């Protein structure tokens, strides 16, 4: 067991050596990651950090998610909207340890419709935020989780 | 490293629908090893970008709440059978890679 742990530690060190190298080069190719938003444990704060504004409720966003998720580890979510000039679609789960799940950039030419699978620790509201024409819109719905997705 | 993304991209009526599934643990950093009680360090994909012909057609900043073996699907205008998509991803550990997939 101890031997095994040593190899793991070694592997981790090797990995972190790569981090130093990796962080510099590919970082430039991507937009800066909003670390504050992703690490915030409060949905309102995460939204504030990400958008610097509060979204307005909208009925023009279609947020598809199951009303009851048997397995919180894999909850399929689809967000789509007919709005014009959509810049990004973000997904929040209010009661997760870090509510911001993901932020998807929608370049011109790509449809404002994204499907993914998310984790939910427990029953919570899922909020989809769409940024269109520089304005923020959101819609939310509740998904009941019978088995949490955060291990433990 | 062999590619972790399995991509199905289909061109139809001038649009290309992309479905992609990555084989990745997406470790949140909140789980504990049941035997040792130690926290398993976070290891997840934090950025993914898909490019077609040099243009970004999709990109995402991901948090730890994206499920294990993450799945994404989206549709973009353009793309034709036989053309290539390039998929770049970056892990929170700094590991990164670029993979390619053909549109069918």
């Amino acid at each position: 067991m101890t031997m095994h742990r040593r190899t793991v530690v070694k592997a981790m060190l090797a990995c972190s050596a790569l981090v130093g190298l990796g962080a510099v080069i590919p970082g430039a190719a991507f937009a800066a990651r909003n670390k504050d938003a992703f690490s915030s444990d409060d949905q309102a704060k995460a939204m504030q950090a990400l958008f610097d504004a509060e979204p307005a409720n909208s009925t023009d966003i279609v947020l598809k998610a199951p009303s009851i998720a048997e397995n919180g580890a894999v909850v399929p979510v689809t967000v789509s909207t007919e709005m014009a000039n959509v810049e990004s679609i973000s997904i929040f789960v209010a009661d997760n340890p870090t509510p911001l799940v993901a932020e998807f950039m929608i370049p011109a030419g790509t449809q404002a419709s994204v499907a993914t699978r998310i984790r939910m620790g427990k029953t919570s509201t899922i909020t989809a935020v769409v940024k269109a024409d520089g304005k923020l819109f959101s819609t939310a719905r509740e998904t009941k989780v019978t088995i949490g997705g955060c291990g433990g | 490293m062999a590619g972790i993304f399995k991509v199905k991209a289909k061109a139809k009526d001038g649009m290309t629908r992309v479905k992609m599934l990555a084989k990745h643990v997406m470790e949140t950093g909140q789980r504990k090893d049941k035997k040792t009680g130690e926290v398993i360090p976070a290891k997840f994909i934090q950025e993914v970008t898909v490019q077609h012909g040099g243009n970004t057609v999709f990109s995402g900043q991901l948090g730890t709440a994206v499920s294990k073996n993450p799945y994404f699907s989206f549709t973009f205008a353009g793309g034709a059978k036989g053309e290539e998509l390039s998929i770049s991803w970056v892990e929170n550990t700094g590991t990164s890679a670029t993979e390619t997939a053909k549109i069918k």
Side-chain angles (χ1 to χ4, degrees), chain A residues 1-136:
Chain A
M1 202 58 213
T2 10
M3 279 309 284
H4 179 64
R5 199 150 104 200
R6 231 169 250 172
T7 36
V8 171
V9 169
K10 232 185 236 172
M12 273 168 61
L13 284 175
C15 271
S16 51
L18 281 173
V19 175
L21 288 172
V24 189
I25 309 148
F30 293 95
R33 178 180 177 81
N34 193 322
K35 284 209 179 88
D36 290 346
F38 274 99
S39 58
S40 173
D41 58 3
D42 181 86
Q43 178 162 307
K45 280 185 197 148
M47 280 187 190
Q48 194 68 34
L50 189 62
F51 304 116
D52 204 16
E54 258 187 53
N57 276 330
S58 167
T59 50
D60 294 333
I61 305 167
V62 182
L63 169 61
K64 267 191 227 163
S67 37
I68 296 177
E70 273 183 25
N71 183 356
V74 185
V75 183
V77 175
T78 304
V79 183
S80 59
T81 178
E82 296 289 321
M83 287 178 205
N85 304 322
V86 173
E87 293 157 42
S88 75
I89 292 178
S90 309
I91 300 169
F92 295 82
V93 175
D95 292 334
N96 266 6
T98 51
L100 177 55
V101 175
E103 181 192 22
F104 299 107
M105 303 301 164
I106 308 295
T110 298
Q111 284 182 2
S113 172
V114 174
T116 187
R117 292 175 190 157
I118 65 171
R119 280 194 182 112
M120 292 180 69
K122 55 182 172 187
T123 300
S124 172
T125 51
I126 302 176
T127 308
V129 179
V130 171
K131 189 176 183 187
D133 255 341
K135 293 194 186 95
L136 295 165

Side-chain angles (χ1 to χ4, degrees), chain B residues 59-80:
Chain B
S59 81
Q61 295 279 332
L62 313 179
T64 50
V66 173
S67 76
K68 180 179 171 179
N69 297 336
Y71 166 85
F72 311 103
S73 90
F74 62 95
T75 306
F76 68 93

Side-chain angles (χ1 to χ4, degrees), chain B residues 15-33:
Chain B
M15 306 291 286
T16 303
R17 180 160 173 76
V18 183
K19 294 180 188 174
M20 48 201 261
L21 184 71
K23 200 170 167 56
H24 197 283
V25 290
M26 296 298 277
E27 197 58 67
T28 60
Q30 304 199 10
R31 242 156 45 95
K32 280 185 182 168
D33 188 314

Side-chain angles (χ1 to χ4, degrees), chain B residues 6 10 15 21 24 31 40 49 56 58 62 64 66 72 81 88 90 92 94 96 101 103:
Chain B
K6 226 164 130 183
K10 219 165 189 176
M15 306 291 286
L21 184 71
H24 197 283
R31 242 156 45 95
I40 303 169
T49 303
T56 299
F58 178 79
L62 313 179
T64 50
V66 173
F72 311 103
K81 195 177 164 174
S88 314
V90 182
N92 68 318
S96 66
I103 299 173

